[in-house]
Amino acid sequence: MPDEPHPLHEPAPRWRRRKEARPQEIVAAAMDVFAERGFAAAKLDEVAGRAGVSKGTLYLYFPNKEELFKAVIRAAILPNLEEAERMLAADDGPSFALLERLLTMVAERVLTTRIAVVPKLVIAEAGNFPELAAFYHREVISRGFALLAGLLRRGIARGEFRPVEVEHTVRLIVAPLLFGAIWRSSFEAAVEGGPLDLRGLVAAHLDHLRRALRPEGGPS
Amino acid sequence: MPDEPHPLHEPAPRWRRRKEARPQEIVAAAMDVFAERGFAAAKLDEVAGRAGVSKGTLYLYFPNKEELFKAVIRAAILPNLEEAERMLAADDGPSFALLERLLTMVAERVLTTRIAVVPKLVIAEAGNFPELAAFYHREVISRGFALLAGLLRRGIARGEFRPVEVEHTVRLIVAPLLFGAIWRSSFEAAVEGGPLDLRGLVAAHLDHLRRALRPEGGPS
Amino acid sequence: MPDEPHPLHEPAPRWRRRKEARPQEIVAAAMDVFAERGFAAAKLDEVAGRAGVSKGTLYLYFPNKEELFKAVIRAAILPNLEEAERMLAADDGPSFALLERLLTMVAERVLTTRIAVVPKLVIAEAGNFPELAAFYHREVISRGFALLAGLLRRGIARGEFRPVEVEHTVRLIVAPLLFGAIWRSSFEAAVEGGPLDLRGLVAAHLDHLRRALRPEGGPS
Amino acid sequence: MPDEPHPLHEPAPRWRRRKEARPQEIVAAAMDVFAERGFAAAKLDEVAGRAGVSKGTLYLYFPNKEELFKAVIRAAILPNLEEAERMLAADDGPSFALLERLLTMVAERVLTTRIAVVPKLVIAEAGNFPELAAFYHREVISRGFALLAGLLRRGIARGEFRPVEVEHTVRLIVAPLLFGAIWRSSFEAAVEGGPLDLRGLVAAHLDHLRRALRPEGGPS
DNA sequence: AATGAATGAGAATTCATTCAT
DNA sequence: AATGAATGAATTCTCATTCAT
């Protein structure tokens, strides 16, 4: 253990910090490569190259390609989901405004982070890694759906929304965001005609949702 | 031999017939394997095995794995799209009823045929085969979008729909069907909790759409 | 046997003639392909295509690729060698003049027929087909060398040539022709700078030979 | 390990050393296999086996079979040619003596090294690898011919040789050596009757050449 | 005699994983 | 902790050969 020669309170020397950051650097590089190529076509050589380490080093942190893949998925998702849960727990205002903030936040993330590739990766590999699909379903989809279902039920209870079928509506709310993520990660590069106007799409979606959720005889 | 419904008095031209059927048999087997594994993880050995031919035979009909993949995508898609276009061209009734029939038909196809796997495959491999993505975009997405856009514009012109932003609305209409196809091909097998109620989802979607598209001051 | 309906003395119908010519047509096509690609890289598909028959037909006349190869070598060589032997047997004139006619004839053949490729083929495949090499050595090289050795010995006995070491001289006489054949079949196509002037080369060779074989104190 | 002549005090950098030697070991093994089988029939499995490495290791050093083949040709040729050029540049003695030393040296190399197989390989594969043929022509044949042409012109200018046609004579000088190389690499193994007496052949060739190049009215 | 669809053994190449240093 | 040389199993693709028609 020759790497702890320094007393406390001293700024950690750069290379020590790197050492601790290694796993994250590798995960970040892997995310890029998996995003571009998919799981099977991604080469660990390339991951190592982009992470600035040797191929062997990958195996110091991840037992194999599959676990690295799972780590990528987990790393991309959990912080976002936790933030969304915090947001909903902390907000007790009008339900539609909350829905609005939620969708807008997700759209922003899809546009500005690499999280958009996660659905694509999970969709593509669900058949080859059923446990990964189950994990994703349990940790991401179910939690996300539950969160939205809670929001809807609250709005219905308060009379803000008409009494829609919650389970279906949750999926209808999510679908356009999934569409956006998939578009960004699969078609944007291969297709002319400029990027998808995801902000406009979400605005239109919210416009539709407002009308669709409006209590029957209620005010516009 | 077991696929011959007219047994009598025929000189049993087994081979001739097979030769003509071979490409389709291979494409069907390939569709299954690609659907289960994705492009890269699909083994031609397995395709050959399921098609009941030897590995070499694949190469009599398709020059390589990639072309076989493209043939699978094309074979799955074109007939469906053509039918949808025929349906719309032939119908001049109320626009929402037409939309209803269209979405219902697509949902039925997603539920009862293997077409649901096509989006998953294209999404997964768009990065590795940009021309495939471009082909799919051109031949499927653009045509499908154009078809829906025409329907919307007609409805707006006739006063059946409020003047929505057509391009966004097209995507909002499609998104839940994409969600359904992806769910079926990626999560249904890996997840407990029963299959997605796609018919119910589409019904709810149509319910929402009716409200969202309803002209402003129109009848409830 | 529906192919003998015609009485005698009638010109054979074309397609019957073709049938008898098949083996030679195949050998001719095979010679072209082997010459271009070598044995291993030659594809029977291509041979069949150039011969205007199907792949299966090749196997009606030749049991396998190797035998077809041998047939090509044999067909190219034997007639030429027999002619040379006839030429020498029939001629009893001055030995150098005979040598002159012999080398000139061979050079003409190398320039105007496809026989030039035979040495290249045998050289290339001797390692893979030792019996072919042995056959070629026995039937072509040995016979050719014996023929030249006889000529030299006759010239020496008659005092036309100085008493050279016959075995070496035979090889020295042949080497430039081998050079010419190899050049034509291997380098001419791949190299700029125009074809080899084989006639000039043989003339120079004969000039050198006249001087080299001239009896010691003899006339210039 | 057994190839280390300085055993003491060395930190036994087995691997480092091997790494540097690997390409040459592989090229040497490949030369043997290509020599025996020709390019197409050579199996990389066998090359790897003879080099004492695994198949995959070949690809660490050479991108494919073709490049390995070219490396073999290059490795065999360049040192020899450079030496011949040095020899000529350094010698200003009688031209025929120099020619004698040159041919003798080449014959020695043909007899004692594996360089004899190079012409056979190039001849065999010129049709399949025209660039290789062009490379060989440019780097070996042209340089070799230029070297001999220079020698001849010098001898003619000095009155040591009669004014022969230089371009043809160069080829006549080379042809028996080519004959020897081809014999050794293609027929010696397949044919009874003992090896070719190449030294005797070259002696006879030089004897002929002396007479053929002797100035017209010169001394015997 | 002729065809050409079908076969399957065989070869080149790739790449995740290991391990001596 | 890090390296990167080495491995070899796995996979695509080729092509001589067979054989039902």
Side-chain angles (χ1 to χ4, degrees):
Chain A
M1 221 77 78
D3 55 295
E4 199 53 82
H6 300 289
L8 294 170
H9 303 307
E10 198 168 312
R14 203 154 311 134
W15 71 269
R16 218 183 131 254
R17 178 167 302 142
R18 296 214 69 199
K19 193 185 290 186
E20 274 149 23
R22 277 283 149 82
Q24 289 128 67
E25 290 168 6
I26 291 170
V27 163
M31 178 159 212
D32 287 348
V33 180
F34 285 135
E36 282 172 28
R37 305 242 191 285
F39 175 80
K43 292 174 220 171
L44 292 188
D45 247 346
E46 198 179 348
V47 172
R50 293 207 201 177
V53 300
S54 78
K55 239 187 319 174
T57 300
L58 302 182
Y59 285 84
L60 296 177
Y61 297 100
F62 304 93
N64 55 42
K65 191 183 183 183
E66 191 173 332
E67 290 304 321
L68 174 57
F69 183 64
K70 291 182 192 166
V72 164
I73 303 295
R74 268 185 231 111
I77 274 168
L78 294 185
N80 288 283
L81 196 63
E82 277 158 13
E83 182 173 349
E85 285 176 339
R86 263 197 310 280
M87 183 194 250
L88 251 78
D91 192 317
D92 201 45
S95 297
F96 193 84
L98 184 48
L99 186 61
E100 221 164 347
R101 285 178 45 217
L102 197 62
L103 295 201
T104 306
M105 183 196 90
V106 174
E108 257 353 274
R109 294 282 158 93
V110 167
L111 283 172
T112 57
T113 72
R114 283 165 319 179
I115 202 180
V117 305
V118 171
K120 158 181 151 166
L121 287 174
V122 175
I123 289 164
E125 299 302 335
N128 293 322
F129 303 116
E131 345 116 56
L132 178 74
F135 162 82
Y136 187 79
H137 182 257
R138 182 170 11 92
E139 296 297 320
V140 182
I141 302 178
S142 293
R143 281 168 70 182
F145 280 10
L147 191 147
L148 279 172
L151 174 60
L152 282 176
R153 290 206 184 85
R154 191 182 79 176
I156 293 169
R158 289 182 183 174
E160 294 167 314
F161 300 149
R162 72 179 171 101
V164 291
E165 215 290 304
V166 169
E167 288 306 312
H168 291 325
T169 305
V170 160
R171 285 156 180 81
L172 295 174
I173 290 171
V174 160
L177 292 167
L178 176 68
F179 178 96
I182 285 172
W183 191 271
R184 238 178 85 75
S185 53
S186 286
F187 290 103
E188 214 147 278
V191 148
E192 79 303 346
L196 176 70
D197 172 17
L198 184 58
R199 291 189 186 90
L201 182 67
V202 167
H205 185 32
L206 285 165
D207 182 33
H208 282 210
L209 278 176
R210 184 174 14 245
R211 295 162 192 271
L213 294 176
R214 184 161 53 199
E216 297 282 348
S220 98
Chain B
M1 259 134 7
D3 54 294
E4 185 45 75
H6 310 298
L8 295 175
H9 304 308
E10 295 219 350
R14 247 173 308 185
W15 267 37
R16 270 284 146 64
R17 176 141 315 143
R18 303 233 58 196
K19 197 217 151 171
E20 275 145 27
R22 274 284 144 84
Q24 289 131 66
E25 292 168 6
I26 291 170
V27 163
M31 178 159 213
D32 288 348
V33 179
F34 285 136
E36 281 172 29
R37 306 245 191 283
F39 177 80
K43 289 172 230 167
L44 292 186
D45 248 349
E46 197 179 348
V47 172
R50 292 208 203 175
V53 300
S54 75
K55 249 182 312 174
T57 300
L58 303 183
Y59 287 85
L60 295 178
Y61 298 100
F62 304 93
N64 53 46
K65 191 181 181 183
E66 190 174 334
E67 289 302 319
L68 175 57
F69 184 65
K70 291 182 191 168
V72 165
I73 303 295
R74 272 186 226 110
I77 273 169
L78 293 185
N80 289 283
L81 195 63
E82 278 159 12
E83 184 173 349
E85 285 178 337
R86 264 198 308 281
M87 182 194 252
L88 249 78
D91 192 316
D92 203 44
S95 296
F96 194 84
L98 184 47
L99 187 60
E100 220 165 348
R101 285 178 44 218
L102 197 62
L103 296 201
T104 306
M105 183 194 91
V106 174
E108 263 344 284
R109 292 283 158 93
V110 167
L111 283 171
T112 57
T113 73
R114 283 165 317 177
I115 202 181
V117 305
V118 172
K120 157 181 152 166
L121 288 174
V122 176
I123 289 164
E125 299 303 334
N128 293 323
F129 303 117
E131 345 117 56
L132 178 74
F135 162 81
Y136 187 79
H137 182 256
R138 180 170 14 92
E139 295 297 321
V140 181
I141 301 178
S142 293
R143 280 169 70 181
F145 281 8
L147 193 147
L148 280 172
L151 174 60
L152 283 175
R153 291 207 183 84
R154 191 183 78 176
I156 294 169
R158 290 182 182 174
E160 295 168 313
F161 300 148
R162 71 179 172 100
V164 291
E165 217 290 305
V166 169
E167 289 305 314
H168 290 326
T169 305
V170 161
R171 285 155 180 81
L172 295 173
I173 291 172
V174 161
L177 292 167
L178 177 68
F179 178 96
I182 284 173
W183 192 271
R184 238 179 83 76
S185 53
S186 287
F187 290 103
E188 214 146 281
V191 147
E192 79 303 347
L196 176 70
D197 173 16
L198 183 58
R199 290 188 187 92
L201 182 66
V202 167
H205 185 33
L206 284 166
D207 182 34
H208 283 210
L209 277 177
R210 185 174 10 245
R211 295 163 193 270
L213 293 176
R214 187 159 52 197
E216 298 281 347
S220 93
Chain C
M1 223 74 80
D3 56 293
E4 198 53 81
H6 302 288
L8 293 172
H9 305 306
E10 200 168 310
R14 203 153 315 139
W15 72 267
R16 217 183 131 257
R17 178 164 304 144
R18 294 214 71 197
K19 192 186 293 184
E20 275 150 22
R22 275 283 148 82
Q24 288 127 69
E25 290 170 6
I26 291 171
V27 163
M31 178 159 212
D32 287 349
V33 180
F34 285 135
E36 282 172 27
R37 306 242 191 283
F39 176 80
K43 292 175 218 172
L44 292 188
D45 248 345
E46 198 178 348
V47 172
R50 293 207 202 178
V53 300
S54 76
K55 239 189 319 179
T57 300
L58 302 183
Y59 285 83
L60 296 176
Y61 297 101
F62 304 94
N64 55 43
K65 192 183 183 183
E66 191 173 333
E67 290 302 321
L68 175 57
F69 183 65
K70 292 181 191 168
V72 164
I73 302 296
R74 268 184 231 111
I77 274 169
L78 294 185
N80 289 282
L81 196 62
E82 278 159 11
E83 184 173 349
E85 285 177 337
R86 262 196 311 280
M87 182 194 254
L88 250 78
D91 192 316
D92 201 46
S95 297
F96 195 84
L98 184 48
L99 186 62
E100 220 164 347
R101 286 177 44 217
L102 197 61
L103 295 201
T104 307
M105 183 195 90
V106 174
E108 262 345 281
R109 292 283 157 91
V110 166
L111 283 172
T112 57
T113 72
R114 284 166 316 179
I115 203 182
V117 305
V118 171
K120 157 181 152 166
L121 288 173
V122 176
I123 288 164
E125 300 301 335
N128 294 321
F129 304 117
E131 346 117 56
L132 178 73
F135 162 83
Y136 187 79
H137 183 256
R138 182 171 11 95
E139 297 297 319
V140 181
I141 301 179
S142 292
R143 281 167 70 182
F145 281 10
L147 192 149
L148 279 172
L151 174 60
L152 283 176
R153 289 204 186 87
R154 191 183 77 178
I156 293 169
R158 290 181 184 175
E160 295 167 313
F161 301 147
R162 72 179 171 102
V164 292
E165 217 290 303
V166 169
E167 288 306 311
H168 291 325
T169 305
V170 161
R171 286 157 178 81
L172 295 175
I173 291 172
V174 161
L177 292 166
L178 177 67
F179 179 96
I182 285 172
W183 191 271
R184 236 178 86 75
S185 55
S186 287
F187 291 102
E188 213 146 280
V191 146
E192 79 303 346
L196 177 70
D197 172 17
L198 184 59
R199 290 188 186 93
L201 182 66
V202 167
H205 184 33
L206 285 165
D207 182 33
H208 283 209
L209 278 175
R210 184 175 10 247
R211 294 163 194 270
L213 294 175
R214 187 161 50 197
E216 297 282 345
S220 94
Chain D
M1 265 142 347
D3 54 296
E4 184 48 72
H6 310 298
L8 293 176
H9 303 307
E10 293 218 350
R14 246 173 310 186
W15 267 39
R16 271 282 148 66
R17 174 136 321 139
R18 301 232 62 195
K19 198 219 152 171
E20 276 145 27
R22 274 285 144 85
Q24 288 132 65
E25 292 168 6
I26 292 171
V27 163
M31 178 158 213
D32 287 349
V33 180
F34 284 136
E36 282 172 28
R37 304 243 191 283
F39 177 80
K43 291 173 229 168
L44 292 188
D45 247 349
E46 198 179 345
V47 172
R50 293 207 202 176
V53 301
S54 76
K55 247 182 315 173
T57 300
L58 303 183
Y59 287 85
L60 294 178
Y61 299 100
F62 303 94
N64 54 44
K65 191 182 181 182
E66 191 173 332
E67 289 303 319
L68 175 57
F69 184 65
K70 291 183 192 166
V72 164
I73 303 295
R74 270 186 229 109
I77 274 170
L78 294 185
N80 289 282
L81 196 62
E82 278 159 12
E83 183 174 349
E85 285 177 338
R86 263 198 309 280
M87 182 193 252
L88 249 79
D91 192 316
D92 201 46
S95 298
F96 194 83
L98 183 47
L99 186 62
E100 219 164 347
R101 285 179 46 218
L102 197 62
L103 296 202
T104 306
M105 182 195 93
V106 174
E108 257 352 276
R109 292 282 158 93
V110 166
L111 283 171
T112 57
T113 73
R114 282 164 319 178
I115 203 183
V117 304
V118 172
K120 158 181 152 166
L121 288 174
V122 176
I123 288 163
E125 299 302 334
N128 294 323
F129 304 116
E131 345 116 58
L132 178 74
F135 163 81
Y136 187 79
H137 182 257
R138 181 169 14 91
E139 296 296 320
V140 181
I141 301 179
S142 292
R143 281 168 71 181
F145 281 10
L147 192 147
L148 280 172
L151 174 60
L152 283 176
R153 289 205 185 86
R154 191 182 78 176
I156 294 169
R158 291 182 182 173
E160 296 167 314
F161 300 148
R162 70 180 173 101
V164 292
E165 215 290 303
V166 168
E167 288 305 312
H168 290 325
T169 304
V170 161
R171 287 157 179 79
L172 295 174
I173 290 172
V174 160
L177 291 166
L178 177 68
F179 178 95
I182 286 174
W183 192 271
R184 238 179 83 75
S185 54
S186 287
F187 290 103
E188 212 146 281
V191 147
E192 79 302 345
L196 175 71
D197 172 18
L198 183 58
R199 290 188 187 92
L201 181 66
V202 167
H205 185 33
L206 285 165
D207 181 33
H208 283 209
L209 279 175
R210 183 172 15 241
R211 295 162 192 270
L213 294 176
R214 184 161 52 199
E216 297 283 345
S220 96

